[in-house]
Every structure is written in C-alpha cells, then in structure tokens.
Amino acid sequence: MSNNVTQTSQTSSQARQEATLLPPVDVVEDPTGITMYADLPGVPKDKLNLRVEGDQFSIEGDVVLPLAKDMEASHAEVTLSRYHRTFTLSKELDPEKVSAELSQGVLRVRIPKAAHAQPRKINVQVQ
Amino acid sequence: MNFDDIRHGLETLKDSFADGWDRLRRSAAGALTRFRPGETTQLPARDEIDDVLFLSGQRWAMLGGDVFEDDNRLVVRIEAPGMEKDDFDVQVAGDHLVIRGEKRFERESTEGRWRLLQCAYGSFERNVALPVPVKNEEARATYKNGVLKIELPKVQPGRPSSRTVRVD
C-alpha cells in the first residue's frame, strides 16, 4: 500500500513554543490525486494559513469566537485557539496545484498527482 | 491485511493517542462524545477504507463546548464542523440543554480509497448543564464557521453568583 501523505510529528522545540490543536483529517486517494478534509471549527477563512514548502504541506488556523466583552466563562473546554498540522507529501503529488476551500469549519484540500504519476492510456496498434 | 497496513494503523493509533491525550488534558470529560453512524450517515463501505483504527473501533470524538454568561443571558457554544443548520435539534430539558444532530459523510465521487478517516460521523447527543434557569421560548441559535451558538436569556437577570460551600 502506498501512502501519499504521511504526518510529520512536530519537533519538540516547536511543541514547547506553543501548544496547538491537531485537527482530525480524512484522506481519500484516487487515481488522479488525493483529497483531504480537516475539521477546523471556529476558524474563519481569513485566519486560515496553508503552506507548501518543498514536500511539506502545513495547515494552520486561528479560532475566532467573538463574544460580548463583559461575558465570563462559567465553563470552557475550548481553551486553545490554534490548529496546526503538517504533512509530508509524496513525490507523486504536485504541490504547485493545491486547491482548497473552507465551509462550515471543514477544510477541503485537493492535491493532484504530478503528470508523470497520472494513469495513462496507451493505445497500441495491432497490425 | 499486509505488514504495511498494520504499520500504517499503528502510526495512526499513535497519532490518535497523542492527539486524544493532549486534548483530554485540556478539555472537560463531557466533551468526549459518542458518534453512532447509521444508514443515513452514508459512510464509505468497509472495503474502501484502509484506516485500521477506524475499522477497529467505536467512534468517539471531542465535541468542544463552552458556556458563557453575563447579567442577562447564557451563551452555549458547541464545535460541530461540517453540519447543515437544519440538522441540529436543540432543546432545553429542565436544567440541561440537549443538542442532537447527525454529521453525514459527503462524498464527491465513488472512486478512491480512504487512507485516513479521523473525523467523526454519525448521530450524536451532547448535554450541557445550565447554571441558572432560562427562558426557553426566547432562545436563539446560530451556526457559523462550524460552531453552533445558542443564546438563552436568564429568567432572573443578575451577576453570575458565586457560592461559598461551608465545610462542617
């Protein structure tokens, strides 16, 4: 089984700098590429940051939950406000052609396979 | 199942443990919610899924929630990404707020294999204790960026009360 996306664990220095939430993801692979879905509730579009550096693909998003100023939390479970997860992309994938959309807290990312890794149909003429 | 499948599963398990443990430490236990996939959830067939951890177990996921209060109202927020606003059923039952819903799986094509399946799908129910009585009929709910927000006006407006418990 070939894995086109593997997760890179955060280095300990990174983890010490700032605690972040690891968003859960679904990944589907088809013959022409992969599609990834990540749950990022509370992250608006302008606070979402997607980066490709070499074979590293990272998702970072800040949670924005506006509340009236005088409100105080009587019970709070969502205390961290940043999501961060990094993936290593296989060479089969073409990071230049990443496309993404965000809807109701779900990020959808499509990464097509590079031209050389796409399935090709070769017609052979039989004489 | 070959060796790669198992190794992949273990990696997923490790990630998931670290993830789960970290989140548990900073979350109240109430955030852990059971998701029950049913026929209407439309999950992919088992033979299309490679995620061993997903295949092996029951589905639990964190559904983060907050309760905020000021003089006049309580505000309850629940993180529930990927829903339609009509899929929520919100009720006040005594001193609890009950939030039910079903997160359905939406697939775009029938091709492909699911390498990772970590997001939770299915029906869920979340109970949130309300610290003071509220006016049910004036409750309002909104859904934005995957977060459900419910505003509940207090029956008796007033500062959040702090109580001292005497130890005998």
Side-chain angles (χ1 to χ4, degrees):
Chain A
M1 186 178 85
S2 75
N3 263 317
N4 273 314
V5 185
T6 48
Q7 204 207 317
T8 310
S9 50
Q10 283 186 5
T11 59
S12 55
S13 63
Q14 239 182 322
R16 247 180 277 127
Q17 267 175 20
E18 186 189 30
T20 53
L21 291 169
L22 197 66
V25 296
D26 292 345
V27 176
V28 65
E29 180 180 351
D30 62 45
T32 59
I34 64 157
T35 309
M36 184 188 288
Y37 303 85
D39 277 354
L40 302 164
V43 179
K45 207 178 273 182
D46 58 331
K47 294 287 180 189
L48 178 69
N49 194 0
L50 304 176
R51 265 203 314 266
V52 178
E53 282 176 41
D55 62 351
Q56 302 284 302
F57 173 67
S58 70
I59 299 171
E60 211 174 273
D62 288 328
V63 177
V64 177
L65 296 169
L67 265 186
K69 272 186 199 140
D70 58 342
M71 298 213 88
E72 58 182 86
S74 58
H75 173 79
E77 290 162 3
V78 191
T79 49
L80 283 178
S81 58
R82 176 165 288 178
Y83 289 97
H84 187 213
R85 193 159 178 180
T86 303
F87 302 87
T88 303
L89 304 177
S90 87
K91 291 198 167 51
E92 274 193 324
L93 299 171
D94 187 351
E96 300 292 311
K97 292 189 181 139
V98 177
S99 62
E101 59 196 77
L102 182 66
S103 166
Q104 287 297 8
V106 179
L107 171 71
R108 175 189 179 278
V109 179
R110 174 73 187 170
I111 311 174
K113 289 185 184 173
H116 67 82
Q118 298 266 3
R120 269 177 299 175
K121 197 174 173 185
I122 300 167
N123 289 316
V124 179
Q125 297 286 326
V126 180
Q127 301 289 328
Chain B
M1 185 188 288
N2 61 31
F3 175 72
D4 275 338
D5 283 334
I6 296 164
R7 198 188 54 187
H8 176 65
L10 287 176
E11 281 167 9
T12 311
L13 189 68
K14 198 180 68 190
D15 286 344
S16 170
F17 262 124
D19 179 20
W21 179 247
D22 274 342
R23 287 189 68 154
L24 261 179
R25 279 194 314 185
R26 5 175 224 253
S27 308
L32 195 58
T33 305
R34 175 121 183 234
F35 282 75
R36 297 166 195 273
E39 271 175 36
T40 51
T41 309
Q42 295 174 315
L43 275 172
R46 291 178 74 86
D47 61 4
E48 296 173 288
I49 303 170
D50 296 322
D51 192 328
V52 176
L53 188 68
F54 177 86
L55 292 173
S56 68
Q58 293 178 337
R59 301 300 292 154
W60 293 85
M62 297 307 241
L63 213 59
D66 298 323
V67 181
F68 288 84
E69 92 174 272
D70 66 10
D71 288 2
N72 301 313
R73 62 192 175 137
L74 297 177
V75 177
V76 178
R77 282 192 318 219
I78 299 287
E79 292 187 342
M83 301 272 299
E84 298 289 335
K85 79 176 189 307
D86 295 335
D87 288 342
F88 289 106
D89 171 27
V90 182
Q91 288 174 16
V92 179
D95 57 355
H96 277 74
L97 185 68
V98 182
I99 297 141
R100 293 190 190 90
E102 180 177 15
K103 187 175 170 196
R104 293 189 191 86
F105 192 86
E106 284 177 35
R107 62 186 316 169
E108 298 161 57
S109 94
T110 50
E111 270 197 324
R113 299 201 56 80
W114 291 88
R115 302 298 193 198
L116 284 177
L117 219 46
Q118 299 177 334
C119 303
Y121 298 97
S123 303
F124 61 84
E125 180 179 317
R126 183 74 201 275
N127 292 293
V128 179
L130 299 173
V132 293
V134 294
K135 298 179 193 167
N136 306 355
E137 64 283 358
E138 290 174 37
R140 280 194 310 137
T142 54
Y143 185 53
K144 196 183 168 199
N145 292 329
V147 178
L148 179 70
K149 185 167 112 175
I150 304 141
E151 292 194 41
L152 304 149
K154 290 183 181 177
V155 172
Q156 288 174 312
R159 285 309 296 169
S161 60
S162 61
R163 275 175 302 178
T164 309
V165 178
R166 215 170 61 121
V167 180
D168 291 320

